[in-house]
Amino acid sequence: MSTATLNNQSKAVVHRWSQTLIPTTREAPSDAVMPSHIFMTRAGYIRPVGSGIYNYLPLAWRSLQKISAIIREELDAAGASEMLMPALMPMELYKDTKRDQNYGDLLFQLNDRHGRATALGPTHEEVITDLMCGCLTSYKQFPLNLYQIQTKFRDEARPRAGLLRCREFIMKDAYSFHLQLDGDAGLNHTYDKMYQAYTNIFTRCGLDFSPVEAEAGPIGGSASHEFMVNCENGEDTILVCPESGYAANVEKAEIGNRPHNWDQAATSEVTKHHTPGMPGIALVAEHLGTNAAGMLKTLVMRTVEDEPKWILAVVRGDHDVNESKVRDAVGASVEMADEKESIAAGFVIGYVSPKMLDKTEVTMVIDPDAINHGSWATGADEKDHHITGFNWSRDLPSAKDKAIVADIRNAEAGDPSPRADGVSLEAKRGIEVGHIFKLGTKYSEAMGLSVLNKDQKKTPVIMGCYGIGVSRTLASCIESSHDDNGIIMPAAIAPYHVHIVTIKPNDEGVLDHAFTLAQELAESGLDVLVDDRNERPGPKFKDADLIGIPLRIIISSKAIEAGEVEFKRRTDQGKAGMVSRSEILQTCLDAIG
RNA sequence: CGGGGUGUAGCGCAGUUUGGUUAGCGCAUCUGACUGGGGGUCAGAAGGUCGGAGGUUCAAAUCCUCUCACCCCGACCA
């Protein structure tokens, strides 16, 4: 009783299986594919309502609350304050940042009874920036870091994998405000503190994760890191350098130095080929007697400026152009050019070759790997035609002077590491559970958030934002921690610490004994579930494995007579061991750590 | 948004090709008895707008048209 009464946050929790809702099933829904989805459904954690919409049943909700509690502790310790913003927001808020367009269909939109355009919040940069416009009036108020844990809505094109990609999900989002980048009050300091807080949070949740450099995406801003749970089934690809520890999302990963040489010997003449009706570079390559790596892919892009410029991005046929890298190479944001406009400007979309460099006003950026070969197949700048035998120095000598050579493609496993000579990048899969951004002044400038500084000068506010997918964290935990029999929950976020299984609960004293023990454990701060159902032992053990509570105590009349109980960790194989009744509390406390 | 697939009891499925008793099976559920250490046995019971609408027919789960929902792959995606 002592510890519990001293710190009033823990009230003894003992739940009876028979009086809560844990609808386990023997078989998984046929459409579930991912282990976390299958087991969370079978173990009675979640039930679907619609595509990407789930009920969180008591077990899931208890875990989510524990994850939330860890987040709160770490963020409060890092100097952030919790608040709550509405999920419902007027579309007008998005006007200045144009995210109603940038987010597009991802934004859930609705009209209220007056016909006012309204959205369900996918994230809250605009709401909080708008709030701060009215609250932040002095430089003395900085820095400030606010967060909320809330349901978010995104109309995903393809919800999938249970809780891993939902249309309605639980997220922690935090926003920090600064007047400078450096120093104790600066963005960089808070960013580092949040990075550390995230590391603490995911470590405490018992996850195997990696922080990686990331692309800022439509949120915008400069630096950005993602926290990835290492998991084969993950949607994201990350590239790591085994030597230097460099790790980055595939969208962001730099590629180490790749020498290039324009003066490759030509091995054949330029020949034109008729290649009608061949969708995809692989088909064309096959027809031309080569493969994708023997072709040049030339993408027509435009800069996003008041007076857009044409950009030709050239990569090897088997590589993918990375828009952000093109942006960095040309010094302006770029987007894929509109097909009609491109055609009007003379680009034969689908058959564009680098030779357009000499035919029109265009900036060409080229990846080194697209240079180092003497004989390329590429488009013929003519509908339904390709050429083979293209040689840079012979057929387009101007490229050497005019083209920008830069890393503009997505990195792949085997590419040289950008941080260690002679070392190759390795590919791993991950699930993104956290993402932090240095936003800079993107939102504050768009929405007019500024204050007077000490020198009475108007200064735009510098922002950071920091997200954690709370429901996704739970799913990713199960995704990486389960066996054939079910979930293996880490103690820190398990719905209960201890699962007491009663054998023959109708026998004299068994239930009483179970509840007395449960109460004792609970008063020492452990959360306890008692399986009091009048079931045979088999199904109860199966269910216990399935829901994955870390510690199991088995109570039977036999053991009671011997003054013992049986004790087993979820991770233990085989039969449970005997522990004397007087020592079981300490055994549990030690096991939970 | 493109491609593929599936909708029959709470869950998993058969039946649809070739229209024809009262739409079946396993698990789960309820009652009773026997049981009791890794998804029991026996006996009984309950549970269905066959996703929906329209059509063809003497007759539709089955054929036709439309539609809705869900899943998978891809595109997309803090």
Side-chain angles (χ1 to χ4, degrees):
Chain A
M1 201 47 148
S2 55
T3 47
T5 44
L6 280 177
N7 88 47
N8 60 14
Q9 70 190 14
S10 58
K11 211 162 200 178
V13 172
V14 175
H15 283 153
R16 303 178 178 209
W17 189 299
S18 66
Q19 289 173 16
T20 181
L21 179 65
I22 310 175
T24 59
T25 64
R26 186 191 290 241
E27 285 176 284
S30 60
D31 46 26
V33 172
M34 303 276 280
S36 64
H37 187 192
I38 291 171
F39 284 132
M40 289 182 85
T41 308
R42 282 193 55 204
Y45 277 61
I46 57 170
R47 281 292 160 91
V49 176
S51 179
I53 311 171
Y54 287 88
N55 289 308
Y56 305 112
L57 306 189
L59 290 183
W61 188 241
R62 289 187 62 83
S63 274
L64 290 168
Q65 294 291 6
K66 294 199 171 187
I67 295 170
S68 298
I70 290 172
I71 291 172
R72 289 189 171 103
E73 283 180 30
E74 293 294 338
L75 292 192
D76 286 348
S81 304
E82 184 172 5
M83 62 177 292
L84 183 62
M85 289 176 262
L88 208 53
M89 57 185 68
M91 282 296 288
E92 277 165 51
L93 266 183
Y94 284 94
K95 221 168 37 192
D96 294 332
T97 57
K98 298 210 172 84
R99 276 216 297 177
D100 49 343
Q101 291 156 42
N102 296 346
Y103 246 82
D105 291 338
L106 209 57
L107 196 62
F108 264 109
Q109 297 189 41
L110 54 121
N111 292 313
D112 69 11
R113 64 166 69 202
H114 303 292
R116 289 178 294 222
T118 309
L120 292 172
T123 173
H124 281 65
E125 281 81 5
E126 283 82 358
V127 178
I128 201 159
T129 304
D130 182 64
L131 173 71
M132 290 305 136
C133 284
C135 296
L136 287 178
T137 49
S138 159
Y139 69 90
K140 296 168 190 163
Q141 291 171 284
F142 295 87
L144 185 61
N145 192 357
L146 297 164
Y147 74 95
Q148 62 174 345
I149 296 175
Q150 186 207 38
T151 298
K152 293 283 190 278
F153 300 86
R154 291 185 195 174
D155 196 0
E156 292 282 352
R158 185 150 101 79
R160 76 190 100 182
L163 252 39
L164 283 174
R165 181 167 293 277
C166 286
R167 297 196 296 166
E168 174 177 335
F169 58 99
I170 301 171
M171 181 176 184
K172 186 285 300 177
D173 46 328
Y175 307 90
S176 72
F177 303 89
H178 317 265
L179 289 183
Q180 66 270 323
L181 292 173
D182 301 317
D184 282 354
L187 170 65
N188 293 341
H189 183 66
T190 296
Y191 188 87
D192 292 345
K193 276 206 291 191
M194 292 299 271
Y195 186 104
Q196 186 56 50
Y198 273 41
T199 302
N200 297 347
I201 289 165
F202 296 125
T203 302
R204 285 182 63 185
C205 286
L207 291 165
D208 170 26
F209 68 98
S210 310
V212 308
E213 292 182 17
E215 197 49 55
I219 286 276
S222 52
S224 165
H225 285 85
E226 287 169 329
F227 289 76
M228 295 281 191
V229 172
N230 298 312
C231 174
E232 279 304 308
N233 280 331
E235 284 190 289
D236 294 286
T237 301
I238 61 182
L239 291 161
V240 300
C241 167
E243 190 81 16
S244 64
Y246 174 82
N249 193 304
V250 65
E251 297 154 12
K252 169 76 177 178
E254 303 161 34
I255 305 174
N257 185 37
R258 287 172 287 151
H260 65 276
N261 176 11
W262 290 99
D263 300 313
Q264 306 278 339
T267 55
S268 58
E269 292 305 306
V270 171
T271 314
K272 189 153 72 167
H273 303 264
H274 190 49
T275 54
M278 293 183 191
I281 203 156
L283 276 178
V284 177
E286 192 185 334
H287 182 77
L288 299 176
T290 177
N291 55 27
M295 297 197 61
L296 294 175
K297 188 151 69 181
T298 308
L299 268 58
V300 182
M301 310 180 95
R302 298 194 89 174
T303 56
V304 185
E305 294 174 297
D306 291 341
E307 291 179 22
K309 296 188 198 61
W310 293 103
I311 305 286
L312 281 185
V314 183
V315 296
R316 216 169 69 188
D318 58 328
H319 291 149
D320 292 319
V321 169
N322 181 306
E323 277 188 27
S324 307
K325 289 182 175 181
V326 174
R327 176 194 65 206
D328 294 343
V330 303
S333 284
V334 296
E335 60 186 6
M336 289 300 294
D338 178 77
E339 188 163 338
K340 278 185 189 144
E341 289 176 24
S342 308
I343 291 168
F347 298 101
V348 188
I349 295 299
Y351 306 91
V352 178
S353 90
K355 289 185 172 185
M356 290 305 289
L357 178 63
D358 284 348
K359 296 180 191 164
T360 182
E361 187 70 25
V362 66
T363 303
M364 190 164 91
V365 282
I366 179 165
D367 187 79
D369 289 330
I371 298 172
N372 292 331
H373 200 275
S375 181
W376 293 96
T378 184
D381 298 313
E382 186 180 326
K383 187 162 169 45
D384 293 339
H385 287 83
H386 282 81
I387 58 171
T388 54
F390 173 81
N391 178 275
W392 284 106
S393 58
R394 181 189 64 195
D395 301 321
L396 192 64
S398 62
K400 190 173 176 177
D401 300 322
K402 283 159 74 178
I404 302 167
V405 180
D407 170 20
I408 58 162
R409 67 167 173 90
N410 283 344
E412 296 174 350
D415 282 336
S417 163
R419 299 286 185 276
D421 287 341
V423 178
S424 296
L425 292 172
E426 294 171 2
K428 288 176 25 177
R429 304 286 284 180
I431 300 168
E432 177 192 350
V433 290
H435 200 159
I436 59 179
F437 302 82
K438 292 183 184 176
L439 290 178
T441 56
K442 177 180 164 132
Y443 291 88
S444 46
E445 280 184 0
M447 299 181 69
L449 172 60
S450 60
V451 297
L452 290 183
N453 67 11
K454 218 170 187 169
D455 307 321
Q456 300 191 321
K457 281 217 169 112
K458 203 172 171 185
T459 315
V461 172
I462 297 168
M463 292 171 59
C465 79
Y466 318 88
I468 291 179
V470 179
S471 43
R472 183 186 278 183
T473 297
L474 173 60
S476 66
C477 170
I478 293 168
E479 197 61 41
S480 53
S481 179
H482 63 267
D483 62 16
D484 290 348
N485 296 319
I487 297 167
I488 303 173
M489 285 302 274
I493 65 170
Y496 300 93
H497 299 111
V498 182
H499 184 168
I500 297 181
V501 177
T502 57
I503 303 292
K504 289 208 270 181
N506 288 339
D507 275 9
E508 183 87 18
V510 168
L511 275 185
D512 285 347
H513 200 89
F515 287 126
T516 305
L517 174 57
Q519 195 62 32
E520 251 175 65
L521 298 176
E523 282 166 5
S524 294
L526 297 168
D527 296 341
V528 186
L529 174 68
V530 179
D531 189 347
D532 58 338
R533 295 175 298 170
N534 189 18
E535 288 285 343
R536 295 168 59 84
K540 289 167 106 169
F541 291 144
K542 287 287 185 191
D543 278 344
D545 285 344
L546 200 53
I547 69 173
I549 306 303
L551 304 181
R552 185 185 310 172
I553 294 173
I554 303 164
I555 305 267
S556 63
S557 43
K558 264 184 286 179
I560 293 172
E561 283 168 27
E564 293 178 319
V565 296
E566 291 163 73
F567 174 82
K568 184 182 178 180
R569 293 175 188 80
R570 175 62 180 82
T571 49
D572 289 342
Q573 303 295 316
K575 291 220 162 184
M578 304 304 294
V579 174
S580 88
R581 176 63 179 78
S582 56
E583 288 168 13
I584 188 62
L585 169 60
Q586 197 55 47
T587 303
C588 289
L589 291 173
D590 292 347
I592 292 298

